[in-house]
Amino acid sequence: MVKLSKYLSIDLESRELLDESNHSRSPLSLAELEIIKLLAQRIGDVVSKEELNEAGWPGRLVAPSSLTQCISTLRRKLESQNDIELKNIPRYGYSLCVIESDELVLPKSVPQSEGGNASPAVNHLSRYWRWLAVVLFFVFLAGLHFSGKLKQTVNYLALLAQPGVASILNAETELAGQKVKLSQLRLEDQPDEHRSASHFIGSWSNTDKVFGNELLTRIFANDNNRYESVALCNQYEGECKDTQPLNLVRDRNTYSPLDLQWLSDTKLRMEQVTYNKILLDKFENPSQGLVEDIYRADVYYYGASKNVVRADVRLSLVYQSPARGTLVMAACITDDLLRHVSMRYQFSGEFKMQQKTVDGQLVKSFLLDTENVSFTSPDAISEESATIYREIRKSVLSNETQILRQIYQDANSGVWMLPLWGDTMVWAHRVEVTL
């Protein structure tokens, strides 16, 4: 029996969590048992993900999502315990924190008297340092508040806890008789499953009338559990030669065959009008010599009907240092049924950029503390437009922060995961402007 708190224990023999306050028991899997045992041995310490993986699945190589799902299950089994919290330490690991009302659990290095209880002098000293730490913590928070940085700090910590790109799996297939390289992205909070290339492009027809050149077709794809998105460059030779890459989104729960010839004709008609433009002087008083990266793309959502929704997207970044700067994203949404602007969505703010290599691909994450958000609701809306309306509305109401990821960049284009239909893959045309 391993004691966690006043009422909660781990019953090692029956492999259960025992709550003595109501005599309830929660069964544990083998992995959950070993992980909570390790965390209990090091209460208050941060235990790395590598150590937890080795404890839960010794000698086995498992996906990052296995640990995430195991921790999530443990949290549900601990949620009735007000004095225990399983904390996530972003980018490192987890910590089991226990708050006891009657006495302070001392680290093993603190001398203890016979019978395992700390001496009164040690207890008194511990309480003193505990209260001093609390006072200093609130002084620190007050300083952040009055300096105006408290909200910014909280938002930044929340962004750090967002899931990153867990894997980029590459596969080769054919489309209209030409070679295709498909890179499938998976985030840390998405299921550890690999879908075939035909899952994303197998329902397309009349591909030979749209595609047909000797250059490689390059595709980035993602299934975010609600929507499947594909970003496609039809002419790829070390960099994207396609002046208008194809970006498609569909509801993953609706089987929607797509006639590429019909879509091509529809795109041509809808793109006669450009509704969206970010002015180069959007940023006030830029310092001389700054460089602005401007990305433009059209993203199309299609379903079972003959109505498509177009998001005319602009993204503008100004770097003020190698890892910091200012960002604006704007999208104007139309559909072929109503044929006018139904929604306008824009947000901007300062970003901090982090980068890492995932499966040989450089991934940049832009952690954005949004300062200005505008969303113009539609006067009329079609069933298809309602899908993106709900996504944007939810984002406007709940998010003071955003995370945008760049998966690929060359001189004339870039591939992004943008907050449209969830995390949507977008291959955008790129222009660099010196201010």
Side-chain angles (χ1 to χ4, degrees):
M1 190 78 71
V2 177
K3 193 79 169 174
L4 291 179
S5 68
K6 184 175 181 180
Y7 296 110
L8 191 67
S9 303
I10 308 172
D11 190 332
L12 300 179
E13 292 185 2
S14 63
R15 211 167 70 204
E16 294 175 315
L17 281 175
L18 172 60
D19 187 347
E20 297 176 9
S21 65
N22 56 17
H23 303 289
S24 63
R25 289 177 175 269
S26 300
L28 298 169
S29 68
L30 284 173
E32 291 167 0
L33 175 65
E34 295 303 323
I35 285 173
I36 198 168
K37 273 173 56 182
L38 179 56
L39 290 167
Q41 291 167 8
R42 296 165 59 178
I43 284 179
D45 293 338
V46 181
V47 183
S48 70
K49 295 179 180 179
E50 291 77 13
E51 292 177 272
L52 293 170
N53 275 324
E54 181 59 29
W57 301 272
R60 293 171 53 193
L61 184 63
V62 296
S65 59
S66 298
L67 178 59
T68 304
Q69 291 170 2
C70 186
I71 293 293
S72 178
T73 304
L74 283 173
R75 280 185 173 139
R76 287 197 296 270
K77 294 176 180 180
L78 294 171
E79 63 184 2
S80 63
Q81 307 297 317
N82 296 326
D83 54 352
I84 295 181
E85 184 178 0
L86 185 47
K87 291 187 176 181
N88 173 34
I89 311 303
R91 310 298 179 192
Y92 189 77
Y94 297 89
S95 177
L96 187 66
C97 300
V98 178
I99 303 172
E100 297 195 2
S101 57
D102 296 331
E103 59 181 7
L104 179 68
V105 177
L106 295 174
K108 294 180 181 179
S109 59
V110 176
Q112 302 209 352
S113 61
E114 293 186 11
N117 295 321
S119 66
V122 171
N123 278 332
H124 177 75
L125 185 61
S126 298
R127 285 195 296 271
Y128 169 78
W129 286 112
R130 183 182 179 184
W131 283 109
L132 180 61
V134 170
V135 170
L136 291 175
F137 176 71
F138 279 105
V139 170
F140 172 72
L141 287 181
L144 285 176
H145 173 72
F146 287 112
S147 67
K149 294 185 179 294
L150 179 59
K151 178 180 176 182
Q152 181 179 352
T153 302
V154 171
N155 287 346
Y156 180 63
L157 291 175
L159 282 170
L160 288 178
Q162 293 294 314
V165 176
S167 64
I168 303 176
L169 301 177
N170 296 316
E172 292 187 358
T173 185
E174 287 191 356
L175 185 65
Q178 67 187 80
K179 293 188 299 182
V180 173
K181 179 180 179 181
L182 188 144
S183 299
Q184 183 181 159
L185 277 82
R186 185 179 65 82
L187 298 182
E188 291 172 348
D189 63 344
Q190 293 176 351
D192 185 15
E193 57 181 325
H194 176 59
R195 297 189 178 275
S196 65
S198 62
H199 174 80
F200 295 98
I201 63 177
S203 63
W204 296 356
S205 62
N206 282 329
T207 55
D208 57 326
K209 296 180 180 179
V210 177
F211 303 116
N213 56 69
E214 297 180 355
L215 297 181
L216 176 72
T217 296
R218 183 80 191 273
I219 296 176
F220 287 89
N222 176 249
D223 181 343
N224 65 21
N225 301 325
R226 291 173 296 167
Y227 303 100
E228 299 164 2
S229 59
V230 168
L232 183 152
C233 172
N234 186 33
Q235 304 174 53
Y236 186 84
E237 191 176 32
E239 62 180 22
C240 185
K241 307 288 187 180
D242 195 341
T243 57
Q244 288 187 312
L246 181 63
N247 301 296
L248 298 174
V249 184
R250 71 174 178 180
D251 190 321
R252 76 186 303 265
N253 296 318
T254 303
Y255 180 77
S256 305
L258 179 64
D259 183 334
L260 268 252
Q261 182 61 62
W262 166 79
L263 178 67
S264 180
D265 295 340
T266 303
K267 280 173 75 299
L268 186 63
R269 181 177 64 253
M270 294 182 73
E271 291 172 8
Q272 295 301 309
V273 180
T274 298
Y275 297 101
N276 190 2
K277 187 176 290 186
I278 294 179
L279 300 178
L280 296 182
D281 60 354
K282 170 65 182 177
F283 302 109
E284 297 179 0
N285 302 320
S287 301
Q288 186 175 4
L290 291 181
V291 174
E292 182 178 20
D293 277 343
I294 302 171
Y295 295 86
R296 183 205 174 278
D298 289 299
V299 187
Y300 287 87
Y301 170 86
Y302 68 99
S305 72
K306 285 293 183 180
N307 184 33
V308 294
V309 179
R310 171 196 179 198
D312 182 0
V313 180
R314 294 289 192 279
L315 182 65
S316 181
L317 299 94
V318 171
Y319 285 88
Q320 292 156 347
S321 73
R324 294 180 182 273
T326 312
L327 180 151
V328 176
M329 180 181 141
C332 289
I333 293 93
T334 59
D335 66 29
D336 194 38
L337 180 65
L338 300 176
R339 300 192 181 186
H340 61 76
V341 176
S342 59
M343 285 167 273
R344 293 181 186 271
Y345 177 42
Q346 180 168 316
F347 59 81
S348 63
E350 295 184 356
F351 70 79
K352 176 177 174 58
M353 187 269 289
Q354 297 178 331
Q355 60 184 31
K356 68 174 182 177
T357 300
V358 180
D359 294 331
Q361 188 82 37
L362 181 64
V363 177
K364 297 180 180 179
S365 296
F366 294 81
L367 312 175
L368 184 74
D369 187 6
T370 52
E371 298 172 357
N372 298 291
V373 179
S374 63
F375 177 49
T376 304
S377 300
D379 295 327
I381 193 168
S382 65
E383 181 180 348
E384 293 78 12
S385 294
T387 61
I388 192 169
Y389 173 78
R390 287 190 294 266
E391 291 293 328
I392 294 176
R393 183 68 174 162
K394 180 171 63 177
S395 179
V396 169
L397 291 175
S398 62
N399 290 341
E400 294 182 342
T401 56
Q402 293 281 7
I403 181 164
L404 294 79
R405 301 177 180 88
Q406 187 187 64
I407 314 302
Y408 166 86
Q409 179 178 303
D410 59 38
N412 300 308
S413 72
V415 178
W416 291 80
M417 293 185 83
L418 298 180
L420 293 167
W421 289 268
D423 289 308
T424 299
M425 302 302 307
V426 177
W427 204 316
H429 182 67
R430 174 177 179 257
V431 176
E432 184 178 287
V433 178
T434 300
L435 302 176

